[in-house]
Amino acid sequence: MTALPFSQALDVVTQALRAGVSGHPVAGIESLERLRKSRAPAAELTGRRGADPGIPHPRRTESTVLSSAPSSLPKAPVVARVPVVADVAPGFHSLDALREAVSVCVKCPHLMASRTTTVFGIGNPRADLMFVGEAPGAEEDRAGEPFVGESGVLLTKMIVAMGFSRQEVYIANVLKCRPDMPSGASDNRRPTAREMAACLPYLREQIRFIAPKVIVATGAVAMEGLFGETGPIGKIRGRWHDFSGTPVMATYHPAYLLQSGTLSNKRKVWEDLLQVLERLNLPVSEKQRGFFLPKS
Ligand code: SF4
């Protein structure tokens, strides 16, 4: 396990003590205050002034159920048990400040301990079109970029078929850390509802800064992360949803197309994306309209 800088480790311990760790004492307000004040000399040791500038100090709204003290957290538990904070104070002054805050986020200690890096998002920060997926997988965790690997290649093809380059749109996930897996596992697990609830405020802020005209949510988990329980993707895709005033088109995840890439499913996704082009008031060529139609 990578050793944390003192200030981050202190955040983890403070969060655990405030919430009360199962089997461990709960700290009183006075003790927490003394612990908080101890940040100053630590910051000086690391060459920083005052509190970590990139770490938000969110309102704690959710109780914590830690199975062990943070220093002995298992390297990669399969089941996430430790969503510590379900909200984050808004008010970041820029997308870069938000990225910085995410890069040192400790709200899910089990994910913080297992991630290689956070995966914030990539693309045009002024994009009209934004894609939202569920969470980084193993490759994204290593690369620090969402939608790399096979799914990413297919998503990029879809973006290009729409008439954009990958750099012209913005791509992000609901979850900014890879859901933890046993050491060395190359497959991925679905993020839990609690993990997504903890991370959603970051995505909200991202969307606020980017202000896309349209969001495409890829897959049921991304929709669940944005809206809560929404039902099977087969029932909710192809329709418009509203995320705080931004229209969201739900469609299948590229990974699903890779697994069950029937012409019919490809056409369904393409029809969803045609709706997006129309919503963006972009011209659609006859060639584009005909993609994935069965040849007569
Ligand atoms: S998943 Fe999101 S909320 Fe949880 S530690 Fe990572 S960045 Fe923080």
PDB file of all heavy atoms in Angstrom, residues 82-88 101-113 115 117-119 136 174-179 194-202, ligand 1:
ATOM      1  N   VAL A  82     -17.141   1.242   2.600  1.00  0.00           N
ATOM      2  CA  VAL A  82     -16.742   2.422   3.327  1.00  0.00           C
ATOM      3  C   VAL A  82     -17.022   3.744   2.610  1.00  0.00           C
ATOM      4  O   VAL A  82     -16.125   4.529   2.410  1.00  0.00           O
ATOM      5  CB  VAL A  82     -15.237   2.351   3.658  1.00  0.00           C
ATOM      6  CG1 VAL A  82     -14.932   3.270   4.824  1.00  0.00           C
ATOM      7  CG2 VAL A  82     -14.822   0.937   3.980  1.00  0.00           C
ATOM      8  N   PRO A  83     -18.229   3.996   2.177  1.00  0.00           N
ATOM      9  CA  PRO A  83     -18.479   5.341   1.682  1.00  0.00           C
ATOM     10  C   PRO A  83     -18.579   6.284   2.872  1.00  0.00           C
ATOM     11  O   PRO A  83     -19.443   6.123   3.716  1.00  0.00           O
ATOM     12  CB  PRO A  83     -19.811   5.221   0.953  1.00  0.00           C
ATOM     13  CG  PRO A  83     -20.478   4.071   1.583  1.00  0.00           C
ATOM     14  CD  PRO A  83     -19.405   3.164   2.119  1.00  0.00           C
ATOM     15  N   VAL A  84     -17.678   7.185   2.976  1.00  0.00           N
ATOM     16  CA  VAL A  84     -17.613   8.011   4.174  1.00  0.00           C
ATOM     17  C   VAL A  84     -18.460   9.253   4.049  1.00  0.00           C
ATOM     18  O   VAL A  84     -19.165   9.644   4.959  1.00  0.00           O
ATOM     19  CB  VAL A  84     -16.147   8.409   4.457  1.00  0.00           C
ATOM     20  CG1 VAL A  84     -16.084   9.359   5.643  1.00  0.00           C
ATOM     21  CG2 VAL A  84     -15.332   7.172   4.730  1.00  0.00           C
ATOM     22  N   VAL A  85     -18.401   9.897   2.910  1.00  0.00           N
ATOM     23  CA  VAL A  85     -19.043  11.188   2.760  1.00  0.00           C
ATOM     24  C   VAL A  85     -19.936  11.157   1.527  1.00  0.00           C
ATOM     25  O   VAL A  85     -19.545  10.662   0.498  1.00  0.00           O
ATOM     26  CB  VAL A  85     -17.976  12.287   2.578  1.00  0.00           C
ATOM     27  CG1 VAL A  85     -18.636  13.658   2.534  1.00  0.00           C
ATOM     28  CG2 VAL A  85     -16.963  12.219   3.697  1.00  0.00           C
ATOM     29  N   ALA A  86     -21.155  11.652   1.661  1.00  0.00           N
ATOM     30  CA  ALA A  86     -22.074  11.593   0.528  1.00  0.00           C
ATOM     31  C   ALA A  86     -22.265  12.945  -0.125  1.00  0.00           C
ATOM     32  O   ALA A  86     -23.079  13.096  -1.001  1.00  0.00           O
ATOM     33  CB  ALA A  86     -23.427  11.057   0.988  1.00  0.00           C
ATOM     34  N   ASP A  87     -21.514  13.933   0.288  1.00  0.00           N
ATOM     35  CA  ASP A  87     -21.713  15.232  -0.325  1.00  0.00           C
ATOM     36  C   ASP A  87     -20.375  15.967  -0.305  1.00  0.00           C
ATOM     37  O   ASP A  87     -19.464  15.612   0.406  1.00  0.00           O
ATOM     38  CB  ASP A  87     -22.757  16.025   0.468  1.00  0.00           C
ATOM     39  CG  ASP A  87     -23.393  17.098  -0.383  1.00  0.00           C
ATOM     40  OD1 ASP A  87     -22.946  17.283  -1.532  1.00  0.00           O
ATOM     41  OD2 ASP A  87     -24.317  17.744   0.101  1.00  0.00           O
ATOM     42  N   VAL A  88     -20.284  16.987  -1.115  1.00  0.00           N
ATOM     43  CA  VAL A  88     -19.067  17.782  -1.143  1.00  0.00           C
ATOM     44  C   VAL A  88     -19.469  19.234  -1.262  1.00  0.00           C
ATOM     45  O   VAL A  88     -20.440  19.563  -1.928  1.00  0.00           O
ATOM     46  CB  VAL A  88     -18.177  17.351  -2.333  1.00  0.00           C
ATOM     47  CG1 VAL A  88     -18.867  17.616  -3.655  1.00  0.00           C
ATOM     48  CG2 VAL A  88     -16.844  18.052  -2.296  1.00  0.00           C
ATOM     49  N   ALA A 101      -8.856  18.687  -6.477  1.00  0.00           N
ATOM     50  CA  ALA A 101      -9.555  18.158  -5.295  1.00  0.00           C
ATOM     51  C   ALA A 101      -9.839  16.673  -5.462  1.00  0.00           C
ATOM     52  O   ALA A 101      -9.662  15.880  -4.524  1.00  0.00           O
ATOM     53  CB  ALA A 101     -10.854  18.927  -5.076  1.00  0.00           C
ATOM     54  N   VAL A 102     -10.261  16.285  -6.651  1.00  0.00           N
ATOM     55  CA  VAL A 102     -10.550  14.871  -6.905  1.00  0.00           C
ATOM     56  C   VAL A 102      -9.266  14.043  -6.773  1.00  0.00           C
ATOM     57  O   VAL A 102      -9.282  12.938  -6.222  1.00  0.00           O
ATOM     58  CB  VAL A 102     -11.182  14.694  -8.299  1.00  0.00           C
ATOM     59  CG1 VAL A 102     -11.189  13.231  -8.721  1.00  0.00           C
ATOM     60  CG2 VAL A 102     -12.606  15.263  -8.314  1.00  0.00           C
ATOM     61  N   SER A 103      -8.158  14.594  -7.220  1.00  0.00           N
ATOM     62  CA  SER A 103      -6.907  13.813  -7.237  1.00  0.00           C
ATOM     63  C   SER A 103      -6.441  13.433  -5.832  1.00  0.00           C
ATOM     64  O   SER A 103      -5.642  12.514  -5.682  1.00  0.00           O
ATOM     65  CB  SER A 103      -5.811  14.581  -7.971  1.00  0.00           C
ATOM     66  OG  SER A 103      -5.340  15.652  -7.175  1.00  0.00           O
ATOM     67  N   VAL A 104      -6.921  14.151  -4.821  1.00  0.00           N
ATOM     68  CA  VAL A 104      -6.516  13.818  -3.442  1.00  0.00           C
ATOM     69  C   VAL A 104      -7.720  13.404  -2.601  1.00  0.00           C
ATOM     70  O   VAL A 104      -7.647  13.402  -1.375  1.00  0.00           O
ATOM     71  CB  VAL A 104      -5.777  15.011  -2.782  1.00  0.00           C
ATOM     72  CG1 VAL A 104      -4.449  15.264  -3.462  1.00  0.00           C
ATOM     73  CG2 VAL A 104      -6.635  16.271  -2.785  1.00  0.00           C
ATOM     74  N   CYS A 105      -8.805  13.061  -3.260  1.00  0.00           N
ATOM     75  CA  CYS A 105     -10.036  12.750  -2.528  1.00  0.00           C
ATOM     76  C   CYS A 105      -9.869  11.479  -1.694  1.00  0.00           C
ATOM     77  O   CYS A 105      -9.326  10.482  -2.162  1.00  0.00           O
ATOM     78  CB  CYS A 105     -11.198  12.582  -3.501  1.00  0.00           C
ATOM     79  SG  CYS A 105     -12.741  12.192  -2.653  1.00  0.00           S
ATOM     80  N   VAL A 106     -10.378  11.548  -0.477  1.00  0.00           N
ATOM     81  CA  VAL A 106     -10.285  10.402   0.433  1.00  0.00           C
ATOM     82  C   VAL A 106     -11.674   9.989   0.925  1.00  0.00           C
ATOM     83  O   VAL A 106     -11.792   9.310   1.940  1.00  0.00           O
ATOM     84  CB  VAL A 106      -9.369  10.726   1.638  1.00  0.00           C
ATOM     85  CG1 VAL A 106      -7.953  10.992   1.179  1.00  0.00           C
ATOM     86  CG2 VAL A 106      -9.902  11.930   2.428  1.00  0.00           C
ATOM     87  N   LYS A 107     -12.699  10.387   0.191  1.00  0.00           N
ATOM     88  CA  LYS A 107     -14.056  10.110   0.691  1.00  0.00           C
ATOM     89  C   LYS A 107     -14.366   8.617   0.744  1.00  0.00           C
ATOM     90  O   LYS A 107     -15.195   8.191   1.533  1.00  0.00           O
ATOM     91  CB  LYS A 107     -15.093  10.840  -0.184  1.00  0.00           C
ATOM     92  CG  LYS A 107     -15.055  12.345   0.021  1.00  0.00           C
ATOM     93  CD  LYS A 107     -16.374  13.003  -0.327  1.00  0.00           C
ATOM     94  CE  LYS A 107     -16.693  12.945  -1.793  1.00  0.00           C
ATOM     95  NZ  LYS A 107     -18.027  13.502  -2.068  1.00  0.00           N
ATOM     96  N   CYS A 108     -13.787   7.855  -0.147  1.00  0.00           N
ATOM     97  CA  CYS A 108     -13.958   6.391  -0.102  1.00  0.00           C
ATOM     98  C   CYS A 108     -12.572   5.810   0.206  1.00  0.00           C
ATOM     99  O   CYS A 108     -11.803   5.547  -0.724  1.00  0.00           O
ATOM    100  CB  CYS A 108     -14.454   5.837  -1.427  1.00  0.00           C
ATOM    101  SG  CYS A 108     -15.818   6.755  -2.161  1.00  0.00           S
ATOM    102  N   PRO A 109     -12.244   5.618   1.471  1.00  0.00           N
ATOM    103  CA  PRO A 109     -10.871   5.188   1.806  1.00  0.00           C
ATOM    104  C   PRO A 109     -10.457   3.899   1.116  1.00  0.00           C
ATOM    105  O   PRO A 109      -9.286   3.725   0.763  1.00  0.00           O
ATOM    106  CB  PRO A 109     -10.928   5.011   3.323  1.00  0.00           C
ATOM    107  CG  PRO A 109     -12.025   5.915   3.769  1.00  0.00           C
ATOM    108  CD  PRO A 109     -13.048   5.883   2.670  1.00  0.00           C
ATOM    109  N   HIS A 110     -11.423   2.985   0.909  1.00  0.00           N
ATOM    110  CA  HIS A 110     -11.048   1.714   0.265  1.00  0.00           C
ATOM    111  C   HIS A 110     -10.663   1.931  -1.198  1.00  0.00           C
ATOM    112  O   HIS A 110      -9.784   1.252  -1.716  1.00  0.00           O
ATOM    113  CB  HIS A 110     -12.203   0.708   0.380  1.00  0.00           C
ATOM    114  CG  HIS A 110     -13.485   1.179  -0.226  1.00  0.00           C
ATOM    115  ND1 HIS A 110     -14.134   2.313   0.180  1.00  0.00           N
ATOM    116  CD2 HIS A 110     -14.235   0.664  -1.235  1.00  0.00           C
ATOM    117  CE1 HIS A 110     -15.237   2.481  -0.533  1.00  0.00           C
ATOM    118  NE2 HIS A 110     -15.315   1.495  -1.400  1.00  0.00           N
ATOM    119  N   LEU A 111     -11.302   2.889  -1.867  1.00  0.00           N
ATOM    120  CA  LEU A 111     -10.950   3.173  -3.267  1.00  0.00           C
ATOM    121  C   LEU A 111      -9.679   4.013  -3.342  1.00  0.00           C
ATOM    122  O   LEU A 111      -8.857   3.830  -4.235  1.00  0.00           O
ATOM    123  CB  LEU A 111     -12.104   3.888  -3.972  1.00  0.00           C
ATOM    124  CG  LEU A 111     -13.439   3.135  -3.999  1.00  0.00           C
ATOM    125  CD1 LEU A 111     -14.445   3.838  -4.901  1.00  0.00           C
ATOM    126  CD2 LEU A 111     -13.243   1.701  -4.454  1.00  0.00           C
ATOM    127  N   MET A 112      -9.535   4.917  -2.397  1.00  0.00           N
ATOM    128  CA  MET A 112      -8.307   5.708  -2.341  1.00  0.00           C
ATOM    129  C   MET A 112      -7.091   4.787  -2.170  1.00  0.00           C
ATOM    130  O   MET A 112      -6.055   4.987  -2.783  1.00  0.00           O
ATOM    131  CB  MET A 112      -8.394   6.689  -1.178  1.00  0.00           C
ATOM    132  CG  MET A 112      -7.131   7.502  -0.967  1.00  0.00           C
ATOM    133  SD  MET A 112      -6.962   7.990   0.748  1.00  0.00           S
ATOM    134  CE  MET A 112      -6.786   6.418   1.558  1.00  0.00           C
ATOM    135  N   ALA A 113      -7.268   3.735  -1.345  1.00  0.00           N
ATOM    136  CA  ALA A 113      -6.149   2.839  -1.070  1.00  0.00           C
ATOM    137  C   ALA A 113      -5.817   1.958  -2.264  1.00  0.00           C
ATOM    138  O   ALA A 113      -4.662   1.549  -2.441  1.00  0.00           O
ATOM    139  CB  ALA A 113      -6.483   1.970   0.144  1.00  0.00           C
ATOM    140  N   ARG A 115      -6.680   2.622  -5.684  1.00  0.00           N
ATOM    141  CA  ARG A 115      -6.545   3.237  -7.015  1.00  0.00           C
ATOM    142  C   ARG A 115      -5.083   3.502  -7.366  1.00  0.00           C
ATOM    143  O   ARG A 115      -4.255   3.748  -6.473  1.00  0.00           O
ATOM    144  CB  ARG A 115      -7.333   4.552  -7.055  1.00  0.00           C
ATOM    145  CG  ARG A 115      -6.695   5.692  -6.259  1.00  0.00           C
ATOM    146  CD  ARG A 115      -7.601   6.898  -6.126  1.00  0.00           C
ATOM    147  NE  ARG A 115      -7.003   7.938  -5.305  1.00  0.00           N
ATOM    148  CZ  ARG A 115      -7.693   8.809  -4.569  1.00  0.00           C
ATOM    149  NH1 ARG A 115      -9.023   8.773  -4.552  1.00  0.00           N
ATOM    150  NH2 ARG A 115      -7.075   9.730  -3.870  1.00  0.00           N
ATOM    151  N   THR A 117      -4.604   5.926  -9.797  1.00  0.00           N
ATOM    152  CA  THR A 117      -4.789   7.360  -9.893  1.00  0.00           C
ATOM    153  C   THR A 117      -6.282   7.635 -10.035  1.00  0.00           C
ATOM    154  O   THR A 117      -7.052   6.730 -10.358  1.00  0.00           O
ATOM    155  CB  THR A 117      -4.014   7.938 -11.105  1.00  0.00           C
ATOM    156  OG1 THR A 117      -4.140   9.363 -11.107  1.00  0.00           O
ATOM    157  CG2 THR A 117      -4.560   7.408 -12.421  1.00  0.00           C
ATOM    158  N   THR A 118      -6.686   8.841  -9.800  1.00  0.00           N
ATOM    159  CA  THR A 118      -8.079   9.189 -10.083  1.00  0.00           C
ATOM    160  C   THR A 118      -8.223   9.434 -11.585  1.00  0.00           C
ATOM    161  O   THR A 118      -7.259   9.759 -12.270  1.00  0.00           O
ATOM    162  CB  THR A 118      -8.488  10.458  -9.313  1.00  0.00           C
ATOM    163  OG1 THR A 118      -7.539  11.486  -9.569  1.00  0.00           O
ATOM    164  CG2 THR A 118      -8.584  10.196  -7.820  1.00  0.00           C
ATOM    165  N   VAL A 119      -9.435   9.228 -12.065  1.00  0.00           N
ATOM    166  CA  VAL A 119      -9.718   9.418 -13.496  1.00  0.00           C
ATOM    167  C   VAL A 119     -10.776  10.509 -13.591  1.00  0.00           C
ATOM    168  O   VAL A 119     -11.964  10.250 -13.427  1.00  0.00           O
ATOM    169  CB  VAL A 119     -10.191   8.102 -14.135  1.00  0.00           C
ATOM    170  CG1 VAL A 119     -10.460   8.291 -15.622  1.00  0.00           C
ATOM    171  CG2 VAL A 119      -9.151   7.010 -13.913  1.00  0.00           C
ATOM    172  N   PRO A 136     -13.998   4.030 -13.866  1.00  0.00           N
ATOM    173  CA  PRO A 136     -12.790   3.544 -14.542  1.00  0.00           C
ATOM    174  C   PRO A 136     -12.636   2.035 -14.368  1.00  0.00           C
ATOM    175  O   PRO A 136     -12.959   1.495 -13.307  1.00  0.00           O
ATOM    176  CB  PRO A 136     -11.648   4.276 -13.822  1.00  0.00           C
ATOM    177  CG  PRO A 136     -12.283   5.338 -12.983  1.00  0.00           C
ATOM    178  CD  PRO A 136     -13.687   4.908 -12.722  1.00  0.00           C
ATOM    179  N   VAL A 174     -19.118   8.678 -13.753  1.00  0.00           N
ATOM    180  CA  VAL A 174     -19.745   9.030 -12.476  1.00  0.00           C
ATOM    181  C   VAL A 174     -18.716   8.869 -11.359  1.00  0.00           C
ATOM    182  O   VAL A 174     -18.532   9.752 -10.531  1.00  0.00           O
ATOM    183  CB  VAL A 174     -20.972   8.135 -12.194  1.00  0.00           C
ATOM    184  CG1 VAL A 174     -21.538   8.436 -10.810  1.00  0.00           C
ATOM    185  CG2 VAL A 174     -22.040   8.322 -13.265  1.00  0.00           C
ATOM    186  N   LEU A 175     -18.039   7.735 -11.339  1.00  0.00           N
ATOM    187  CA  LEU A 175     -17.043   7.459 -10.296  1.00  0.00           C
ATOM    188  C   LEU A 175     -15.655   7.829 -10.821  1.00  0.00           C
ATOM    189  O   LEU A 175     -15.327   7.519 -11.960  1.00  0.00           O
ATOM    190  CB  LEU A 175     -17.075   5.960  -9.954  1.00  0.00           C
ATOM    191  CG  LEU A 175     -16.814   5.587  -8.502  1.00  0.00           C
ATOM    192  CD1 LEU A 175     -17.951   6.092  -7.623  1.00  0.00           C
ATOM    193  CD2 LEU A 175     -16.678   4.080  -8.336  1.00  0.00           C
ATOM    194  N   LYS A 176     -14.876   8.456  -9.984  1.00  0.00           N
ATOM    195  CA  LYS A 176     -13.546   8.902 -10.406  1.00  0.00           C
ATOM    196  C   LYS A 176     -12.445   7.922 -10.007  1.00  0.00           C
ATOM    197  O   LYS A 176     -11.282   8.125 -10.369  1.00  0.00           O
ATOM    198  CB  LYS A 176     -13.219  10.276  -9.811  1.00  0.00           C
ATOM    199  CG  LYS A 176     -14.306  11.325 -10.020  1.00  0.00           C
ATOM    200  CD  LYS A 176     -14.664  11.523 -11.467  1.00  0.00           C
ATOM    201  CE  LYS A 176     -15.623  12.688 -11.645  1.00  0.00           C
ATOM    202  NZ  LYS A 176     -16.337  12.602 -12.939  1.00  0.00           N
ATOM    203  N   CYS A 177     -12.779   6.920  -9.229  1.00  0.00           N
ATOM    204  CA  CYS A 177     -11.794   5.895  -8.848  1.00  0.00           C
ATOM    205  C   CYS A 177     -12.287   4.533  -9.331  1.00  0.00           C
ATOM    206  O   CYS A 177     -13.498   4.274  -9.338  1.00  0.00           O
ATOM    207  CB  CYS A 177     -11.621   5.819  -7.337  1.00  0.00           C
ATOM    208  SG  CYS A 177     -11.037   7.334  -6.586  1.00  0.00           S
ATOM    209  N   ARG A 178     -11.345   3.677  -9.653  1.00  0.00           N
ATOM    210  CA  ARG A 178     -11.727   2.321 -10.054  1.00  0.00           C
ATOM    211  C   ARG A 178     -12.301   1.575  -8.851  1.00  0.00           C
ATOM    212  O   ARG A 178     -11.680   1.559  -7.778  1.00  0.00           O
ATOM    213  CB  ARG A 178     -10.504   1.571 -10.579  1.00  0.00           C
ATOM    214  CG  ARG A 178     -10.858   0.183 -11.071  1.00  0.00           C
ATOM    215  CD  ARG A 178      -9.626  -0.639 -11.365  1.00  0.00           C
ATOM    216  NE  ARG A 178     -10.013  -1.949 -11.847  1.00  0.00           N
ATOM    217  CZ  ARG A 178      -9.298  -3.052 -11.703  1.00  0.00           C
ATOM    218  NH1 ARG A 178      -8.136  -3.002 -11.105  1.00  0.00           N
ATOM    219  NH2 ARG A 178      -9.736  -4.202 -12.168  1.00  0.00           N
ATOM    220  N   PRO A 179     -13.463   0.959  -9.001  1.00  0.00           N
ATOM    221  CA  PRO A 179     -13.968   0.098  -7.926  1.00  0.00           C
ATOM    222  C   PRO A 179     -12.939  -0.987  -7.611  1.00  0.00           C
ATOM    223  O   PRO A 179     -12.421  -1.638  -8.525  1.00  0.00           O
ATOM    224  CB  PRO A 179     -15.253  -0.491  -8.525  1.00  0.00           C
ATOM    225  CG  PRO A 179     -15.685   0.518  -9.536  1.00  0.00           C
ATOM    226  CD  PRO A 179     -14.407   1.070 -10.120  1.00  0.00           C
ATOM    227  N   ARG A 194     -23.693   3.630  -3.081  1.00  0.00           N
ATOM    228  CA  ARG A 194     -23.091   4.554  -2.110  1.00  0.00           C
ATOM    229  C   ARG A 194     -21.832   5.211  -2.662  1.00  0.00           C
ATOM    230  O   ARG A 194     -21.587   6.395  -2.443  1.00  0.00           O
ATOM    231  CB  ARG A 194     -22.754   3.815  -0.812  1.00  0.00           C
ATOM    232  CG  ARG A 194     -23.981   3.511   0.005  1.00  0.00           C
ATOM    233  CD  ARG A 194     -23.614   2.919   1.336  1.00  0.00           C
ATOM    234  NE  ARG A 194     -24.655   3.161   2.306  1.00  0.00           N
ATOM    235  CZ  ARG A 194     -24.479   3.107   3.611  1.00  0.00           C
ATOM    236  NH1 ARG A 194     -23.298   2.817   4.097  1.00  0.00           N
ATOM    237  NH2 ARG A 194     -25.473   3.330   4.430  1.00  0.00           N
ATOM    238  N   GLU A 195     -21.019   4.423  -3.362  1.00  0.00           N
ATOM    239  CA  GLU A 195     -19.818   5.007  -3.969  1.00  0.00           C
ATOM    240  C   GLU A 195     -20.211   6.079  -4.984  1.00  0.00           C
ATOM    241  O   GLU A 195     -19.612   7.159  -5.036  1.00  0.00           O
ATOM    242  CB  GLU A 195     -18.983   3.910  -4.640  1.00  0.00           C
ATOM    243  CG  GLU A 195     -18.288   2.982  -3.665  1.00  0.00           C
ATOM    244  CD  GLU A 195     -17.784   1.698  -4.320  1.00  0.00           C
ATOM    245  OE1 GLU A 195     -18.209   1.379  -5.470  1.00  0.00           O
ATOM    246  OE2 GLU A 195     -17.005   0.988  -3.682  1.00  0.00           O
ATOM    247  N   MET A 196     -21.221   5.781  -5.772  1.00  0.00           N
ATOM    248  CA  MET A 196     -21.633   6.757  -6.787  1.00  0.00           C
ATOM    249  C   MET A 196     -22.228   8.001  -6.137  1.00  0.00           C
ATOM    250  O   MET A 196     -22.002   9.121  -6.592  1.00  0.00           O
ATOM    251  CB  MET A 196     -22.614   6.118  -7.773  1.00  0.00           C
ATOM    252  CG  MET A 196     -21.940   5.082  -8.663  1.00  0.00           C
ATOM    253  SD  MET A 196     -22.911   4.616 -10.112  1.00  0.00           S
ATOM    254  CE  MET A 196     -24.154   3.580  -9.382  1.00  0.00           C
ATOM    255  N   ALA A 197     -22.965   7.797  -5.048  1.00  0.00           N
ATOM    256  CA  ALA A 197     -23.533   8.962  -4.354  1.00  0.00           C
ATOM    257  C   ALA A 197     -22.426   9.838  -3.773  1.00  0.00           C
ATOM    258  O   ALA A 197     -22.525  11.065  -3.774  1.00  0.00           O
ATOM    259  CB  ALA A 197     -24.476   8.497  -3.251  1.00  0.00           C
ATOM    260  N   ALA A 198     -21.354   9.183  -3.295  1.00  0.00           N
ATOM    261  CA  ALA A 198     -20.236   9.953  -2.727  1.00  0.00           C
ATOM    262  C   ALA A 198     -19.541  10.778  -3.802  1.00  0.00           C
ATOM    263  O   ALA A 198     -19.073  11.883  -3.554  1.00  0.00           O
ATOM    264  CB  ALA A 198     -19.248   9.007  -2.057  1.00  0.00           C
ATOM    265  N   CYS A 199     -19.470  10.234  -5.015  1.00  0.00           N
ATOM    266  CA  CYS A 199     -18.691  10.888  -6.075  1.00  0.00           C
ATOM    267  C   CYS A 199     -19.536  11.817  -6.948  1.00  0.00           C
ATOM    268  O   CYS A 199     -18.991  12.681  -7.637  1.00  0.00           O
ATOM    269  CB  CYS A 199     -18.024   9.817  -6.938  1.00  0.00           C
ATOM    270  SG  CYS A 199     -16.423  10.317  -7.595  1.00  0.00           S
ATOM    271  N   LEU A 200     -20.839  11.638  -6.926  1.00  0.00           N
ATOM    272  CA  LEU A 200     -21.697  12.413  -7.830  1.00  0.00           C
ATOM    273  C   LEU A 200     -21.506  13.928  -7.710  1.00  0.00           C
ATOM    274  O   LEU A 200     -21.546  14.625  -8.725  1.00  0.00           O
ATOM    275  CB  LEU A 200     -23.171  12.036  -7.607  1.00  0.00           C
ATOM    276  CG  LEU A 200     -24.171  12.727  -8.544  1.00  0.00           C
ATOM    277  CD1 LEU A 200     -23.900  12.353 -10.001  1.00  0.00           C
ATOM    278  CD2 LEU A 200     -25.608  12.375  -8.157  1.00  0.00           C
ATOM    279  N   PRO A 201     -21.289  14.473  -6.509  1.00  0.00           N
ATOM    280  CA  PRO A 201     -21.098  15.930  -6.446  1.00  0.00           C
ATOM    281  C   PRO A 201     -19.956  16.429  -7.327  1.00  0.00           C
ATOM    282  O   PRO A 201     -20.023  17.537  -7.858  1.00  0.00           O
ATOM    283  CB  PRO A 201     -20.812  16.173  -4.961  1.00  0.00           C
ATOM    284  CG  PRO A 201     -21.501  15.050  -4.265  1.00  0.00           C
ATOM    285  CD  PRO A 201     -21.335  13.864  -5.170  1.00  0.00           C
ATOM    286  N   TYR A 202     -18.915  15.614  -7.501  1.00  0.00           N
ATOM    287  CA  TYR A 202     -17.832  16.036  -8.392  1.00  0.00           C
ATOM    288  C   TYR A 202     -18.326  16.122  -9.840  1.00  0.00           C
ATOM    289  O   TYR A 202     -17.991  17.037 -10.578  1.00  0.00           O
ATOM    290  CB  TYR A 202     -16.657  15.051  -8.318  1.00  0.00           C
ATOM    291  CG  TYR A 202     -15.924  15.056  -7.004  1.00  0.00           C
ATOM    292  CD1 TYR A 202     -15.637  13.867  -6.359  1.00  0.00           C
ATOM    293  CD2 TYR A 202     -15.498  16.241  -6.418  1.00  0.00           C
ATOM    294  CE1 TYR A 202     -14.937  13.858  -5.154  1.00  0.00           C
ATOM    295  CE2 TYR A 202     -14.816  16.240  -5.213  1.00  0.00           C
ATOM    296  CZ  TYR A 202     -14.537  15.054  -4.588  1.00  0.00           C
ATOM    297  OH  TYR A 202     -13.856  15.044  -3.399  1.00  0.00           O
TER     298      TYR A 202
HETATM  299  S1  SF4 B   1     -14.735   7.475  -5.942  1.00  0.00           S
HETATM  300 FE1  SF4 B   1     -15.006   9.710  -5.928  1.00  0.00          FE
HETATM  301  S2  SF4 B   1     -15.696  10.183  -3.852  1.00  0.00           S
HETATM  302 FE2  SF4 B   1     -14.772   8.116  -3.772  1.00  0.00          FE
HETATM  303  S3  SF4 B   1     -12.606   8.475  -3.261  1.00  0.00           S
HETATM  304 FE3  SF4 B   1     -12.733   8.408  -5.494  1.00  0.00          FE
HETATM  305  S4  SF4 B   1     -12.926  10.563  -6.096  1.00  0.00           S
HETATM  306 FE4  SF4 B   1     -13.447  10.438  -3.914  1.00  0.00          FE
END
